[in-house]
Amino acid sequence: MSVYELEKSPGEWCLHCRVGVGCSIYDNRPTECRQFLCGYLALSDLSEEWKPSRSKIIITTDVIRNDITFHVDPSCPDAWRREPFYSYMKQRAERVASQRGRVLVIVGWRSIVIFPDRDVDLGTSATTSLS
Ligand code: SF4
């Protein structure tokens, strides 16, 4: 995911990340990092399989716009197509369809909108990925 305060683009490691250890500036991490709410912890209907280290997917939600976004590890670009992930996305798409919300999959700079009856690949776009 992108971190504006660090000018970090999606799909790139954060300079402060110590792989397998954690954040090297945790006590002084940017506000954006402090305010991040992981969907795996926030959504009550997700199984253990959704744990980001297993699923390779990080979830964010926008409760005002009824949006849910699945940020997929670019080194596992098809992880979102596996089960139970894909079926869950389709269920969410059904749920938000009447609420003007959207279900979005982001893989690096690529964006895919998930509708109940189809998936629409928007291709690669910096503005879409950073929104
Ligand atoms: S929490 Fe730490 S490692 Fe993670 S993005 Fe923020 S600064 Fe980087």
Side-chain angles (χ1 to χ4, degrees):
M1 296 172 59
S2 60
V3 180
Y4 287 103
E5 290 171 77
L6 299 174
E7 298 183 0
K8 188 189 102 49
S9 297
E12 292 177 358
W13 284 101
C14 173
L15 294 175
H16 304 295
C17 178
R18 296 292 168 265
V19 180
V21 179
C23 177
S24 64
I25 59 164
Y26 190 77
D27 289 340
N28 299 305
R29 65 197 185 284
T31 304
E32 215 173 324
C33 301
R34 290 179 184 278
Q35 294 177 340
F36 174 73
L37 182 59
C38 176
Y40 173 69
L41 300 175
L43 298 171
S44 59
D45 60 347
L46 297 179
S47 66
E48 182 75 13
E49 292 164 288
W50 281 95
K51 188 173 183 178
S53 58
R54 289 180 61 181
S55 66
K56 307 303 179 189
I57 299 169
I58 292 176
I59 303 171
T60 56
T61 58
D62 183 330
V63 292
I64 295 172
R65 298 196 317 191
N66 285 316
D67 290 349
I68 182 165
T69 303
F70 299 86
H71 304 264
V72 181
D73 182 342
S75 66
C76 304
D78 293 324
W80 62 281
R81 295 182 187 277
R82 300 196 324 252
E83 296 295 349
F85 313 130
Y86 187 66
S87 292
Y88 181 81
M89 292 172 194
K90 286 294 188 184
Q91 288 168 15
R92 293 296 298 220
E94 288 273 3
R95 216 182 300 172
V96 302
S98 61
Q99 303 165 342
R100 304 176 66 91
R102 68 178 181 174
V103 175
L104 193 63
V105 172
I106 304 264
V107 187
W109 295 102
R110 181 178 164 219
S111 303
I112 303 127
V113 183
I114 308 295
F115 292 100
D117 59 341
R118 67 192 189 286
D119 306 332
V120 177
D121 192 330
L122 302 179
T124 55
S125 161
T127 50
T128 308
S129 293
L130 290 171
S131 64

